[in-house]
Amino acid sequence: MGLLPLTYRRPAYIDAESIMKGSQSSLESARSSGEKSAGSEDSLVAASLAAGVPPELSFDRIIRGATCPPCTLRDFMNYLVYVERSPENLQFFLWYRDYVQRFSEAKTADVALAPPWTKEMEEEADMRFQKEQAEKLRKEVKTPALAIFKGSDFEKAEDTQKVEFDSFSASPLDSAKSEVVSEYVDSYVTSYRSQANDAFVNAGIKVPFTIQPFRHEIDRVIATYIMDGAPRQLNLADREQKAVLMALAYTTHPSAFREAARMAESMLRRQAHPNFVRWSICNGNRARVVFARSLGVGLIVASTAVAIILTLSRLGRGYRAFAAIGWVLGISTLIAAWKGMCVVLHGLHHRHVRPWELFGDENGEDPLKQSFDSFGTTNSYEEEPWVLRYESRNIVRKIFDREVWIEEPALRQIQDTIFVQSLLGALVLSGILTVIFVCLPGGNLF
């Protein structure tokens, strides 16, 4: 494969919060204009391609498994688990894609009990949420007015009435019943059904019809991704969370997840995927990149010192041009390292083995196995054995860690382009420095 245009720029790092705000506004406009999700997906693809991601490394190709290491779906999940520490969007997206297929292929009679969640229903749920928010805001506005009577006889009278009412309504029998119910709930709270029901109740939604198809799986999804405090809770706004719960209270059809799936895919395409490609371009670990930067700075400083010495000497002006060799090497190394690349590793088209790959291979274990499970515990890796083992390594061993061949041609193409850009930049800057030193009058000091 040839080089990319020399004007190519690797993807810029994208902050999740900025994407969340942009996604909220774009989804609101799409909802108001009645656009379909397919149209928004086309715009997301165009945006990712314009952000420095070549078509060969597009989000859809990675999801389909049409890429090679280190840009596979497994590597993408690795990045989200160990670098961004937010794999829940990809985990939910993969489950949802599989669920859509399984639901469409289901031939059982109970599928008729789960009708689609239509756009009209979604708009009605959104209007209901806005109405509830407006009522809540009006109550909050009225509350400060009651503070005027604080400490007065009116407040005491109100408290007395409240106590009398509470003592009248709360009988010992009711207290005993509440204790029994509490014990029962505590004993059953570990089940997904109980957690899902709690989520519906807390949102002010009636507990749904329970014999719809896949209802048990939907309860697990709610307990894992949707409800507050879920181990893999999606970053949904209050309106979106309640809209999803209202839809799931009505049906188990995949369309009930429209809001959550749209937000998760938007975050993956706009933020996680470009950041993953940017990270994959780096062929060395942090210790190696810092070492390469230091080496580049050292070569530049040494070459500059040589040029100064030659300028102050009695040697001819032409000898000063020899400093350009060190400048070219140092500046090109520094520019490449600034973009996360080591030119030595690039010359071999190698990359360092990631720490989780390194120790996972040694032990014959797969530390990423649970990450591809649709349902599981919180996404954390701090307790994995490789963490302490890698941190205990000395800096020299980290710099010269084990290397592997980069199999993905598109990634090698990007790295070749960045290397050529670094070399051209080094030639230009070195040429300018050479001209400056050659033009300076000699010192004739020794």
Side-chain angles (χ1 to χ4, degrees), residues 109 163 220 253 304 333 429:
V163 172
R220 295 190 69 183
H253 193 274
T304 304
T333 300
L429 294 176

Side-chain angles (χ1 to χ4, degrees), residues 148-161:
I148 301 175
F149 302 101
K150 187 175 182 179
S152 64
D153 294 337
F154 292 98
E155 183 186 19
K156 295 178 181 178
E158 183 180 356
D159 292 340
T160 302
Q161 292 176 1

Side-chain angles (χ1 to χ4, degrees), residues 74 77-85 279 285 353-369 371 379-393 397-398 401:
R74 179 186 179 86
M77 183 67 78
N78 266 328
Y79 168 77
L80 294 176
V81 172
Y82 298 120
V83 181
E84 277 206 357
R85 303 188 181 186
W279 175 79
N285 56 29
V353 176
R354 313 298 183 190
W356 48 88
E357 299 172 334
L358 187 66
F359 294 106
D361 292 342
E362 288 180 0
N363 299 333
E365 300 174 354
D366 185 3
L368 195 65
K369 184 178 180 181
S371 299
N379 293 303
S380 62
Y381 66 89
E382 288 79 5
E383 302 299 327
E384 293 183 8
W386 67 264
V387 176
L388 291 177
R389 294 186 59 187
Y390 186 76
E391 290 179 353
S392 62
R393 283 194 164 194
R397 193 174 183 185
K398 289 181 179 179
D401 250 340

Side-chain angles (χ1 to χ4, degrees), residues 177-206:
K177 288 182 178 179
S178 63
E179 291 178 1
V180 173
V181 172
S182 177
E183 292 177 0
Y184 175 77
V185 171
D186 290 339
S187 64
Y188 194 65
V189 73
T190 55
S191 68
Y192 296 113
R193 171 60 55 82
S194 177
Q195 295 179 58
N197 290 348
D198 289 343
F200 288 118
V201 172
N202 293 334
I205 302 172
K206 185 179 179 181

Side-chain angles (χ1 to χ4, degrees), residues 307-308 310-312 317 320 433-443:
I308 293 174
L310 293 175
T311 303
L312 296 177
R317 294 174 182 265
R320 305 173 194 173
L433 291 174
T434 302
V435 170
I436 292 174
F437 276 94
V438 168
C439 293
L440 290 175

Side-chain angles (χ1 to χ4, degrees), residues 180-418:
V180 173
V181 172
S182 177
E183 292 177 0
Y184 175 77
V185 171
D186 290 339
S187 64
Y188 194 65
V189 73
T190 55
S191 68
Y192 296 113
R193 171 60 55 82
S194 177
Q195 295 179 58
N197 290 348
D198 289 343
F200 288 118
V201 172
N202 293 334
I205 302 172
K206 185 179 179 181
V207 176
F209 193 41
T210 58
I211 65 171
Q212 291 173 321
F214 301 100
R215 176 55 70 180
H216 294 293
E217 184 174 354
I218 296 302
D219 290 337
R220 295 190 69 183
V221 173
I222 294 173
T224 306
Y225 295 101
I226 306 300
M227 65 180 294
D228 291 333
R232 300 180 181 181
Q233 183 178 356
L234 300 177
N235 193 8
L236 299 173
D238 291 340
R239 186 201 61 77
E240 294 167 341
Q241 184 190 51
K242 188 164 185 177
V244 173
L245 289 174
M246 291 179 67
L248 293 176
Y250 173 76
T251 181
T252 56
H253 193 274
S255 58
F257 288 102
R258 186 184 297 113
E259 289 277 343
R262 190 159 45 189
M263 180 58 66
E265 184 173 359
S266 176
M267 291 296 296
L268 288 171
R269 288 183 180 273
R270 291 182 179 271
Q271 189 257 345
H273 172 242
N275 286 351
F276 167 65
V277 175
R278 172 189 173 89
W279 175 79
S280 299
I281 293 173
C282 303
N283 57 6
N285 56 29
R286 180 173 178 80
R288 183 60 170 261
V289 172
V290 171
F291 174 75
R293 291 178 182 176
S294 303
L295 181 62
V297 172
L299 286 172
I300 294 172
V301 172
S303 300
T304 304
V306 170
I308 293 174
I309 293 173
L310 293 175
T311 303
L312 296 177
S313 70
R314 294 188 179 91
L315 294 175
R317 294 174 182 265
Y319 287 99
R320 305 173 194 173
F322 283 106
I325 299 175
W327 281 328
V328 170
L329 294 176
I331 294 175
S332 61
T333 300
L334 182 60
I335 294 176
W338 202 259
K339 297 183 179 181
M341 283 179 48
C342 172
V343 292
V344 177
L345 291 176
H346 171 71
L348 302 172
H349 276 146
H350 283 185
R351 68 171 178 88
H352 272 155
V353 176
R354 313 298 183 190
W356 48 88
E357 299 172 334
L358 187 66
F359 294 106
D361 292 342
E362 288 180 0
N363 299 333
E365 300 174 354
D366 185 3
L368 195 65
K369 184 178 180 181
Q370 294 182 351
S371 299
F372 278 99
D373 293 339
S374 299
F375 308 103
T377 57
T378 304
N379 293 303
S380 62
Y381 66 89
E382 288 79 5
E383 302 299 327
E384 293 183 8
W386 67 264
V387 176
L388 291 177
R389 294 186 59 187
Y390 186 76
E391 290 179 353
S392 62
R393 283 194 164 194
N394 60 68
I395 188 67
V396 176
R397 193 174 183 185
K398 289 181 179 179
I399 292 174
F400 299 100
D401 250 340
R402 187 152 59 91
E403 307 166 10
V404 292
W405 166 259
I406 296 176
E407 300 179 32
E408 176 54 50
L411 185 61
R412 296 200 303 268
Q413 183 185 31
I414 293 177
Q415 293 176 340
D416 290 340
T417 303
I418 292 177

